[in-house]
Amino acid sequence: MAARKKVGILTGGGDCPGLNAVIRAVAKKLIIEKNMDVVGIKDGYDGLVRNEYTKLSYRDVSGILTLGGTILGTSNIANPYRYAINKGGRLQLKDVSKSVVRQIKKMRLAGLVCIGGDGTLAIANRMFKDGVPIVGVPKTIDNDIMGTDITFGFNSAVTIATEGIDRVHTTAQAHHRIMIVELMGRTAGWIALHAGVAGGGDIILLPEIPYLPAAIAAEVKKRHTRGSRFSIIVVAEGAKPRGGNVVVQRMVKESTIQARLGGVGLMLGEQLEKMTGLETRTVVMGHLQRGGSPTAFDRVLATELGTRAADMVEREEFGQMVGVQRGQLVSVALEDVACGSKTVPLDHPLLQSARSIGTCFGDEG
Ligand code: F6P
């Protein structure tokens, strides 16, 4: 009798609501329908370097649909092509990809499902070229992965961010303040745009539209004159002033995301207080947007993506990522995914709708 095929699953990059739902879907389908064995690689690519993995049984992946985080652990630092090694207190970046590929061959993996964002999928693409049979599943709250209209995690993040915006409204109104809510989104403003619209933000600042502090101050004053003595500003962490730069909290050389962003909300708050004379407070939603249980929408999407990824493994559609385009599941070459990030087009219908109801994007004086 032929040996059962063995398929690996790993989760890379930042955690995201719905990761466990994908793991569950991939593993259950491979076990039940395809008669394959499944192994979970620990902590993303780190587990491949360190040779840490575990067999996943049907029971192991039962009851995890609603869980946040990932039962496998993850890492947004481990990259086999630039692996950080501590030598006498000094970090050295080493290419350990050859031994990782050897390790995968030794494990006799018939396929490796890599669930991750742009960084993880770019590494997956390189590993595929180096001979690893990879299927990608797009993951990120940022919704910025090329080749797919939507990623799981995004809906959950927008839902949490919207609740945050809703909650600052009361203080803004009661104290006649400017309340700034800083949201995630490094290069793409999808979360800020959607949560900003859903939460009724008066001013929404996106990485795609460099802002003018004077235009924002003018909008706040205009609202005051009209009797609205408060303003809600929703700002993506990657928003920057026209001609200026993003606010970097810290550079992390060994990370796949080297610039850790954060602080634009506080910086803008100080500026606006001086420019308008109005009291201003900033709330940074940060990792609250990535934590906890996925929404029903994300659970469904994760299940669809995961089951399709299992089919792709069986059909040996390697070097491909499952995506959603115009409401249909599609396969997209990893090559076409790893070439940048999907930002908000300046003519996006939601942007236009928001402008048409008076939402300011900080770009008009
Ligand atoms: O890419 C997802 C994301 O949540 C970004 O929006 C954010 O800039 C980054 O990850 C934060 O990463 P970390 O958890 O490493 O701080």
Side-chain angles (χ1 to χ4, degrees):
M1 212 170 73
R4 281 162 70 94
K5 285 188 175 167
K6 192 166 38 167
V7 177
I9 307 180
L10 66 78
T11 53
D15 70 331
C16 171
L19 277 170
N20 285 321
V22 178
I23 295 169
R24 168 183 177 267
V26 174
K28 281 194 169 181
K29 182 151 184 172
L30 288 174
I31 294 168
I32 300 174
E33 208 176 78
K34 317 282 184 201
N35 222 13
M36 294 185 189
D37 286 335
V38 180
V39 290
I41 317 286
K42 301 271 180 74
D43 300 334
Y45 294 114
D46 213 24
L48 289 177
V49 178
R50 293 170 178 272
N51 200 10
E52 284 178 1
Y53 56 90
T54 180
K55 186 171 175 188
L56 290 179
S57 68
Y58 185 88
R59 276 179 78 99
D60 292 326
V61 294
S62 289
I64 62 169
L65 173 66
T66 62
L67 283 186
T70 157
I71 58 163
L72 299 176
T74 187
S75 163
N76 60 5
I77 293 177
N79 174 352
Y81 298 90
R82 293 176 79 248
Y83 193 71
I85 292 171
N86 192 329
K87 276 225 166 125
R90 288 190 57 197
L91 275 189
Q92 279 182 12
L93 297 174
K94 222 179 141 194
D95 184 348
V96 296
S97 58
K98 286 206 168 60
S99 70
V100 164
V101 173
R102 267 199 307 274
Q103 170 60 24
I104 293 169
K105 296 228 160 94
K106 231 161 88 194
M107 286 167 73
R108 295 185 182 282
L109 290 187
L112 175 63
V113 178
C114 292
I115 312 167
D118 46 5
T120 302
L121 295 173
I123 296 169
N125 184 41
R126 280 186 82 173
M127 295 212 328
F128 167 68
K129 288 184 177 157
D130 287 341
V132 182
I134 287 185
V135 167
V137 181
K139 164 248 54 158
T140 172
I141 62 164
D142 294 351
N143 194 34
D144 61 352
I145 298 181
M146 301 278 272
T148 186
D149 294 342
I150 184 105
T151 51
F152 70 87
F154 173 63
N155 182 266
S156 304
V158 168
T159 304
I160 298 161
T162 303
E163 191 181 339
I165 300 166
D166 287 350
R167 283 178 186 275
V168 301
H169 251 99
T170 47
T171 307
Q173 274 173 321
H175 290 263
H176 317 298
R177 283 178 181 162
I178 300 174
M179 292 297 287
I180 301 179
V181 182
E182 182 180 310
L183 301 179
M184 279 188 169
R186 279 175 293 134
T187 51
W190 296 105
I191 300 178
L193 176 61
H194 281 254
V197 169
D202 305 301
I203 297 155
I204 301 175
L205 306 175
L206 312 177
E208 294 85 349
I209 306 176
Y211 65 81
L212 297 163
I216 303 169
E219 177 66 19
V220 168
K221 285 185 193 155
K222 190 170 87 189
R223 286 177 48 77
H224 245 246
T225 318
R226 285 188 189 152
S228 299
R229 293 170 62 204
F230 71 95
S231 287
I232 304 286
I233 303 180
V234 177
V235 56
E237 62 180 357
K240 52 184 177 297
R242 195 178 289 175
N245 293 314
V246 290
V247 181
V248 177
Q249 233 180 64
R250 192 149 86 84
M251 289 303 289
V252 189
K253 195 175 120 202
E254 65 276 20
S255 176
T256 45
I257 306 168
Q258 297 193 348
R260 195 171 291 163
L261 302 187
V264 62
L266 277 171
M267 193 188 79
L268 184 65
E270 278 176 25
Q271 267 179 310
L272 289 178
E273 219 165 40
K274 285 191 194 123
M275 293 170 90
T276 63
L278 293 171
E279 244 194 294
T280 305
R281 297 286 189 276
T282 297
V283 174
V284 181
M285 292 282 300
H287 292 81
L288 291 176
Q289 293 158 95
R290 280 199 349 216
S293 191
T295 54
F297 180 92
D298 278 335
R299 294 176 201 181
V300 171
L301 178 59
T303 303
E304 286 181 326
L305 293 171
T307 48
R308 172 59 77 102
D311 284 334
M312 288 164 70
V313 169
E314 189 194 34
R315 293 199 294 257
E316 302 190 351
E317 272 182 47
F318 299 127
Q320 303 279 315
M321 176 192 86
V322 52
V324 180
Q325 289 178 7
R326 285 174 284 280
Q328 301 294 318
L329 290 175
V330 292
S331 300
V332 188
L334 281 172
E335 183 74 23
D336 298 332
V337 171
C339 60
S341 75
K342 184 191 72 187
T343 53
V344 178
L346 295 182
D347 60 351
H348 192 275
L350 185 55
L351 236 164
Q352 289 174 344
S353 298
R355 283 197 197 273
S356 73
I357 57 167
T359 308
C360 168
F361 285 85
D363 56 342
E364 283 155 11

